[in-house]
Amino acid sequence: MAGSPLPVADRPLVSPRTRATVRVRRSVGWVILGVLGLTMIFPFAWSLSTSFQGTDRLLQVPPQLIPESPTLDAYRRVAEVIPLVRIVINSIVVSVSVTVLQIVTSALAGYGLARFKFKGRQVLFLLYLGTLMVPSQVTIVPLFIGMSQLGWLNSLQALILPMIASAFGVFLFRQYFLQMPDEMEEAAAIDGAGPWRTFWKVAFPYARPVAATHGILAFMASWNSFLWPLFIARDEQSMTLPVGLASLHGRYQTDWNLVMAGSVIAVVPVILVFAAMQRHIAAGLLLGGVNR
Amino acid sequence: MTWLGSARRWWVAFLAPSFVLLIIFTIVPIAAAGVLSLFQWDLLTDPEFVGLGNFAELARDRQFRSAVVHTLVFIAGYLPVVMVVGLSLALLLNRRSRLAGVSRVVFFMPVVSAWVAVALMWRWMLNSRFGVINWMLGLIGIEGPQWLFERGWAMVSVIGVSVWKDAGFVMILFLAGLQAIPADCREAAFVDGANPWQTFWKVTLPLLTPTVFLVSVILLINSFQVFEQVWILTGGGPLESTTVVVEQIVRNAFSFGRMGYAAAMSWILFAFIFTVTLIQTRLQRRWVHYGG
């Protein structure tokens, strides 16, 4: 968050009395923030705590935030009742493939739209933008029918392929390549590189910030996605984490330590990725909150 | 530089991967949904052409009408609250401080977490007998309701949990808007003796209207598509009091095998979103201040 202006209060043009009121106001602000912050953290803490609780302790009154005798039982049992390792691998394979393929195809198409002049370029771009307006629920029923006709239900390719073309990604890369300084390409062209080599040697590296931002957003969207996998991944061997979690809850309604252990497993990786790459995400959301 | 001469044909290669996928997995399905909405099809027997029969039935379908109403009720409850909370957070965090950075991460944790996991966490906390929320209410002498299983409270819970999850997202968008406001505007107000309350209403908010507009468009589009939280928290119950449009699409396609009917619903959803966005864009001239 660079460039945030200094709060007015820090400037020296204020009398001491006003400064005191300002200080009081700021402290009140921090108190409110603290309370709201706790409201954000508490559900996570509570789930974590429940996931380390033994089944016999779940329903005790008063409930404890810090388990008296913490145990990994719930995690062990999750791995027994659903193919957890398989489900995690599915989630990783699907999310990574979708992310990488989305970045590559979007970067290529964005470059094509930005750096070539051809008939119909404007129409093509508008077509991409137009698809952004249609909610994904419209395509889901026909896609589901298509996949079931192909016999691709319960397959990972059915989870990956429809998610690769990203109009939003193309839009981002196009905007970025439009600003690329001509000299970069010209230097490559003098060295005799054609468009293809220039793209990989010069343009794609230049667009790394967009790739990072869009990549994180794409990864999170894919990792968390539920609706499409709900249609496609019906048998446990092809499930991703959110669907596996929903089915775990469906079967073990009252074993909340199991369900919370599953939730922790689903949530922790994205929170870590997010904490590590916070900056890119904020920037990305600003670029395109539309496409969450 | 744009590629010319023999290199100019390369645009096809750059656009092909993305565009072919876009046609197969987005454009064709959108068209197919239109055709499909004119048929009755359970995937087992042959599709039967019914013209606008599905739409006529939708107009009479009590369940669908109730889903539309509940989607609107959800939006009416969720949208104003999440915008006020998100804006307040942004105002409180719009300062330079280490703590502000940390807070942003905290408020963003729910945003990056999977809806399924978040909804399950809350389902456990809102459990009427053993949930921590009702336990805490009990400490101050309040007997909490059966949050997810009582008419009225169920919708309140869905809205509340959604606000909890999305507040950080709205906050980030407003933070960006706030940081784009020149510091001297607010300084001028301060020098003129305006208190923070006056400064907010007379200076900050008018300058922020473009962001308010953007945020409201994004949130409205997203909230018409409300699904996961309902599916996990209440399943549309009790007595259909929280059933929403996307949930009806899923039920019809997924559980009842009514593909044409579900496709017709998805077109209605699209029409709703399209119309509302159009109205918003038209109305913006009346209250959004650009430039200045």
Side-chain angles (χ1 to χ4, degrees):
Chain A
M1 292 294 140
S4 90
L6 268 180
V8 175
D10 290 353
R11 317 238 159 171
L13 46 84
V14 196
S15 76
R17 223 187 103 217
T18 341
R19 225 182 271 164
T21 10
V22 167
R23 205 168 294 148
V24 171
R25 272 190 203 125
R26 297 194 88 186
S27 325
V28 172
W30 282 119
V31 170
I32 298 174
L33 271 177
V35 172
L36 289 173
L38 276 180
T39 318
M40 293 291 144
I41 293 175
F42 181 75
F44 291 100
W46 191 250
S47 314
L48 201 62
S49 149
T50 302
S51 74
F52 290 121
Q53 204 75 264
T55 308
D56 50 322
R57 299 277 176 129
L58 271 184
L59 307 181
Q60 71 188 353
V61 180
Q64 322 167 298
L65 182 56
I66 313 282
E68 232 165 61
S69 43
T71 158
L72 288 172
D73 263 6
Y75 290 88
R76 230 171 280 136
R77 276 191 59 211
V78 170
E80 277 166 25
V81 296
I82 56 172
L84 183 65
V85 177
R86 180 66 199 259
I87 289 176
V88 171
I89 291 176
N90 288 344
S91 267
I92 294 172
V93 169
V94 170
S95 306
V96 171
S97 317
V98 169
T99 306
V100 171
L101 293 169
Q102 237 187 54
I103 290 175
V104 172
T105 57
S106 304
L108 285 169
Y111 187 81
L113 285 171
R115 308 302 279 195
F116 292 85
K117 272 216 173 72
F118 55 90
K119 238 189 181 169
R121 176 169 80 153
Q122 222 43 37
V123 178
L124 217 56
F125 181 55
L126 287 178
L127 199 59
Y128 269 104
L129 286 189
T131 62
L132 274 179
M133 294 198 59
V134 184
S136 63
Q137 288 85 2
V138 172
T139 57
I140 239 165
V141 178
L143 276 177
F144 168 66
I145 295 175
M147 293 302 168
S148 64
Q149 302 288 336
L150 283 168
W152 280 7
L153 293 184
N154 294 316
S155 75
L156 292 190
Q157 69 264 31
L159 293 177
I160 296 168
L161 284 175
M163 301 300 149
I164 296 173
S166 162
F168 177 61
V170 172
F171 173 75
L172 282 188
F173 276 106
R174 173 187 177 268
Q175 301 309 96
Y176 205 72
F177 284 132
L178 280 176
Q179 302 164 11
M180 186 166 73
D182 290 348
E183 295 78 35
M184 294 180 66
E185 275 173 333
E186 278 157 12
I190 290 168
D191 290 344
W196 193 252
R197 252 188 60 205
T198 307
F199 173 79
W200 288 110
K201 294 276 170 212
V202 178
F204 193 62
Y206 165 78
R208 247 192 328 234
V210 184
T213 299
H214 182 61
I216 295 158
L217 292 182
F219 180 84
M220 287 186 177
S222 178
W223 183 270
N224 293 339
S225 99
F226 180 60
L227 185 56
W228 178 238
L230 180 70
F231 273 81
I232 292 302
R234 293 159 169 227
D235 105 58
E236 284 184 333
Q237 294 299 318
S238 63
M239 281 178 180
T240 51
L241 269 165
V243 187
L245 203 51
S247 105
L248 186 71
H249 173 245
R251 281 190 297 155
Y252 298 91
Q253 293 272 349
T254 55
D255 292 348
W256 284 106
N257 51 350
L258 276 195
V259 179
M260 288 306 104
S263 300
V264 169
I265 295 167
V267 159
V268 164
V270 252
I271 291 188
L272 290 182
V273 169
F274 162 68
M277 314 192 74
Q278 206 220 120
R279 251 184 220 172
H280 294 292
I281 297 177
L285 282 166
L286 300 184
L287 285 168
V290 193
N291 216 263
R292 273 202 293 160
Chain B
M1 176 177 111
T2 6
W3 290 98
L4 299 166
S6 62
R8 60 184 300 204
R9 298 255 165 92
W10 272 90
W11 69 268
V12 180
F14 280 95
L15 273 153
S18 162
F19 197 61
V20 169
L21 289 166
L22 187 79
I23 290 178
I24 299 176
F25 293 111
T26 306
I27 295 176
V28 168
I30 290 173
V35 177
L36 196 60
S37 68
L38 307 175
F39 284 83
Q40 224 170 50
W41 194 15
D42 59 6
L43 293 186
L44 303 171
T45 52
D46 283 340
E48 184 195 334
F49 183 77
V50 291
L52 294 175
N54 284 326
F55 292 95
E57 196 183 334
L58 274 177
R60 292 188 308 264
D61 185 337
R62 201 189 48 76
Q63 223 168 24
F64 183 68
R65 222 180 306 154
S66 125
V68 171
V69 169
H70 291 129
T71 307
L72 296 175
V73 170
F74 170 81
I75 293 172
Y78 160 85
L79 199 72
V81 179
V82 82
M83 285 186 76
V84 169
V85 175
L87 178 56
S88 315
L89 284 176
L91 288 168
L92 288 169
L93 283 174
N94 188 28
R95 48 178 84 162
R96 262 191 203 165
S97 146
R98 205 154 244 284
L99 220 52
V102 175
S103 312
R104 285 186 204 120
V105 176
V106 167
F107 289 110
F108 226 66
M109 275 166 49
V111 180
V112 298
S113 302
W115 243 128
V116 176
V118 162
L120 285 172
M121 281 159 43
W122 279 96
R123 198 171 160 149
W124 166 222
M125 293 201 301
L126 290 170
N127 185 298
S128 57
R129 283 183 63 199
F130 305 107
V132 69
I133 302 279
N134 276 359
W135 178 75
M136 289 198 282
L137 286 175
L139 290 183
I140 50 170
I142 298 173
E143 196 185 330
Q146 295 199 37
W147 295 101
L148 303 172
F149 300 98
E150 267 174 50
R151 280 185 88 105
W153 283 119
M155 183 55 90
V156 170
S157 309
V158 170
I159 291 171
V161 175
S162 305
V163 168
W164 178 85
K165 187 171 195 294
D166 295 342
F169 171 68
V170 179
M171 170 195 81
I172 285 282
L173 295 176
F174 275 126
L175 264 176
L178 284 173
Q179 281 165 11
I181 296 177
D184 21 327
C185 291
R186 276 190 283 175
E187 262 165 47
F190 191 77
V191 171
D192 289 348
N195 65 34
W197 187 250
Q198 290 165 324
T199 311
F200 172 73
W201 287 105
K202 302 277 179 198
V203 180
T204 313
L205 194 58
L207 287 170
L208 203 60
T209 44
T211 315
V212 175
F213 170 70
L214 176 79
V215 172
S216 66
V217 169
I218 293 171
L219 288 179
L220 206 58
I221 291 175
N222 287 341
S223 52
F224 266 106
Q225 303 176 46
V226 53
F227 168 66
E228 276 113 324
Q229 58 267 58
V230 169
W231 186 260
I232 301 289
L233 283 173
T234 65
L239 298 168
E240 287 172 24
S241 64
T242 56
T243 183
V244 288
V245 174
V246 176
E247 187 219 350
Q248 287 294 318
I249 296 175
V250 173
R251 281 196 198 288
N252 276 279
F254 197 67
S255 315
F256 311 146
R258 304 189 65 188
M259 298 300 157
Y261 201 50
M265 281 182 186
S266 72
W267 271 95
I268 304 261
L269 177 72
F270 179 29
F272 265 114
I273 294 175
F274 189 83
T275 314
V276 170
T277 311
L278 204 67
I279 293 173
Q280 272 183 304
T281 317
R282 280 284 150 80
L283 288 181
Q284 68 167 312
R285 270 175 234 135
R286 302 220 183 136
W287 61 277
V288 179
H289 306 265
Y290 289 104

